[in-house]
């Protein structure tokens, strides 16, 4: 049997953009993606602490050291610039592996979204 567990988490970043006229996805500073072990195209759950919205999309890398967190396409309707977000990815694994697995947890600077 396999279960789904948290693989990666970028905790409390500010939304820096909302681009409605875009095909879709979330743009994440590539430094944050790397630190959280998230790859381009991976499914990401976005939790908006300001309005309670939860949604899923896929991620694309943004410029390094930019702190960019931009929701694109329809997802842009679910956020406002400045909202505090939590970004989470999940992985399937065997129960025994899950018992010892350690997720990649990233806590960026809340004012700049940059790695501390």
């Amino acid at each position: 049997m396999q279960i789904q567990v948290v693989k990666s988490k970028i905790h409390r970043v500010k939304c820096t953009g909302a681009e409605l006229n875009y095909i879709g996805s979330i743009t994440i500073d590539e430094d944050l993606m790397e630190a959280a072990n998230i790859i381009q195209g991976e499914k990401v759950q976005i939790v908006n602490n300001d309005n309670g919205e939860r949604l899923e999309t896929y991620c694309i890398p943004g410029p390094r050291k930019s702190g960019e967190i931009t929701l694109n396409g329809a997802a842009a309707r679910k956020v406002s610039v400045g909202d505090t977000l939590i970004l989470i990815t999940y992985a399937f694994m065997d129960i025994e592996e899950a018992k010892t697995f350690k997720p990649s947890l990233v806590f960026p600077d809340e004012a700049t979204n940059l790695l501390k």
Side-chain angles (χ1 to χ4, degrees):
M1 178 185 336
Q2 291 199 319
I3 61 171
Q4 193 173 21
V5 299
V6 173
K7 176 187 143 289
S8 307
K9 180 176 173 183
I10 302 174
H11 192 71
R12 297 185 60 85
V13 287
K14 297 291 184 194
C15 177
T16 61
E19 299 294 332
L20 182 61
N21 295 315
Y22 191 87
I23 295 172
S25 69
I26 180 171
T27 304
I28 303 171
D29 178 322
E30 195 167 4
D31 286 339
L32 293 175
M33 287 178 61
E34 200 171 83
N37 194 26
I38 297 172
I39 63 167
Q40 182 173 343
E42 187 169 356
K43 182 166 84 170
V44 178
Q45 180 182 45
I46 297 121
V47 179
N48 187 327
N49 281 2
D50 290 300
N51 66 17
E53 290 283 353
R54 288 177 173 255
L55 61 119
E56 293 177 341
T57 189
Y58 62 94
C59 62
I60 59 174
R64 289 183 182 275
K65 298 185 184 13
S66 67
E68 182 176 359
I69 303 290
T70 300
L71 275 292
N72 302 304
R77 295 195 184 276
K78 304 288 188 178
V79 299
S80 295
V81 172
D83 283 357
T84 300
L85 309 176
I86 298 171
L87 312 178
I88 309 164
T89 65
Y90 300 88
F92 287 99
M93 58 187 70
D94 294 328
I95 291 176
E96 290 307 311
E97 181 184 6
K99 288 178 181 179
T100 59
F101 178 77
K102 302 291 185 231
S104 298
L105 306 176
V106 178
F107 299 89
D109 181 285
E110 289 189 39
T112 64
N113 290 347
L114 299 176
L115 295 173
K116 294 179 184 179

